[in-house]
Amino acid sequence: MIEGYATLDPEGRPGLGAHAADAFGIPVIGVAKTPFRTATHAFQIIRGAASRPLYVTAAGGLDVAEAARIVSAMAGPHRIPAALARVDRLARGREQPVAEPTSR
């Protein structure tokens, strides 16, 4: 899962998610917070009490409807799923990863 678009238009023009799907050989779900003018194929989903949608796309063989279902079912009461919110905080240095316990 990435924060952004997997594909940029209905014809499948690759976005960050499509490049990641190709590089890693796995399906990728793109979750964007803002609309992209050519991404008319993106599924819009509303989570929690949000009034603004998330824009879901998919690459690597995953159907966009299934990707939207997965994002809708992710944990967290807010617009942004809890896992994506945590990744965003980690990437921005606003949160530190939990240290692994050391074995003795």
Side-chain angles (χ1 to χ4, degrees), residues 1-5 30-36 42-56 67-86 88-89 92:
M1 186 167 300
I2 60 135
E3 186 177 328
Y5 284 88
V31 180
K33 295 182 272 189
T34 57
F36 186 69
F43 264 58
Q44 295 182 33
I45 62 167
I46 302 286
R47 286 180 39 92
S51 59
R52 294 180 308 162
L54 292 172
Y55 302 89
V56 178
R69 187 198 63 73
I70 291 167
V71 174
S72 293
M74 290 180 75
H78 304 294
R79 177 179 179 234
I80 309 298
L84 282 178
R86 178 155 159 68
D88 184 66
R89 289 190 308 272
R92 295 173 188 267

